[in-house]
Amino acid sequence: FDHGHICPNADRMYSYSANYQTFYLTNMQPQYRKFNGYSNKGDDQGEGLWVRLENKVRTYTPHSASDTLYVCKGGTIDREDYIISRIQGKQIVPRYFFMACLKKQGSEYAAVGFWMEQKNEWATNANLGDYAVTIDKLEELTGIDFFCNLPDDIENKVERSFGRNFWGLQN
């Protein structure tokens, strides 16, 4: 397994200190290289599903100082059926990784969730839209109450659906 960064170092290029912080062990979970990496070696060519999603999410970054993108990510560690294995009987290898994105544009909000099974295979041509879920569904799968600080009416609205076109996801 590789050390998969939950907050990618590519998201923290604005300073050495910020980038260095992404290498703390508290920001890492074991990931298959074929899930979160690249390769162009001989027959072993591909691009990982998770790294493709991270690159896609970077395109959601607002270009206006008044707009915000919130991203919550992690791996599943609290249910045995959500765990691939334990390294040396201790370090949990998550079976699933998730991401919840909330974008604020002016007074408008939109949200989308992603739920991906970690597999040791390239997913270069997989459709990222196939892994998109509502935040309500992601909350059901993870047991986490995402975006709970929003006013209830906004939270309920953005968590029950997402626009594929708004997020640039194919059907």
Side-chain angles (χ1 to χ4, degrees):
F1 293 98
D2 286 346
H3 298 274
H5 298 179
I6 299 304
C7 177
N9 69 325
D11 287 356
R12 294 288 197 88
M13 301 302 283
Y14 54 87
S15 79
Y16 174 82
S17 176
N19 184 266
Y20 184 81
Q21 291 170 6
T22 68
F23 290 90
Y24 294 166
L25 287 177
T26 53
N27 185 47
M28 297 182 186
Q29 290 189 322
Q31 292 180 323
Y32 291 120
R33 184 163 172 268
K34 290 182 178 180
F35 181 67
N36 187 31
Y38 302 97
S39 178
N40 59 1
K41 298 178 181 177
D43 293 334
D44 189 31
Q45 295 188 15
E47 186 175 36
L49 188 60
W50 189 253
V51 75
R52 289 183 54 227
L53 178 59
E54 289 179 330
N55 289 334
K56 178 69 172 174
V57 169
R58 282 188 198 97
T59 70
Y60 300 157
T61 304
H63 299 287
S64 166
S66 63
D67 290 344
T68 307
L69 177 67
Y70 299 95
V71 180
C72 302
K73 302 193 295 187
T76 56
I77 60 171
D78 58 345
R79 288 178 39 181
E80 286 303 317
D81 58 331
Y82 281 7
I83 295 172
I84 292 174
S85 66
R86 294 173 191 269
I87 298 170
Q88 296 179 347
K90 297 176 185 174
Q91 176 66 42
I92 292 173
V93 179
R95 180 174 305 280
Y96 299 97
F97 281 85
F98 60 87
M99 189 179 305
C101 301
L102 175 71
K103 188 169 186 175
K104 181 180 184 292
Q105 290 182 296
S107 62
E108 298 295 316
Y109 292 86
V112 64
F114 295 92
W115 177 258
M116 298 179 164
E117 184 174 0
Q118 177 175 208
K119 295 181 180 179
N120 193 16
E121 59 190 42
W122 296 117
T124 304
N125 298 316
N127 181 352
L128 292 175
D130 292 344
Y131 301 91
V133 296
T134 66
I135 299 299
D136 281 341
K137 180 65 176 176
L138 196 59
E139 290 177 339
E140 178 186 319
L141 291 164
T142 63
I144 298 171
D145 185 8
F146 297 101
F147 315 129
C148 58
N149 291 331
L150 288 172
D152 287 341
D153 59 328
I154 295 172
E155 180 184 7
N156 292 334
K157 180 181 175 187
V158 301
E159 290 187 353
R160 72 173 164 250
S161 65
F162 65 92
R164 288 186 179 277
N165 289 339
F166 177 85
W167 295 101
L169 301 169
Q170 303 167 356
N171 288 330

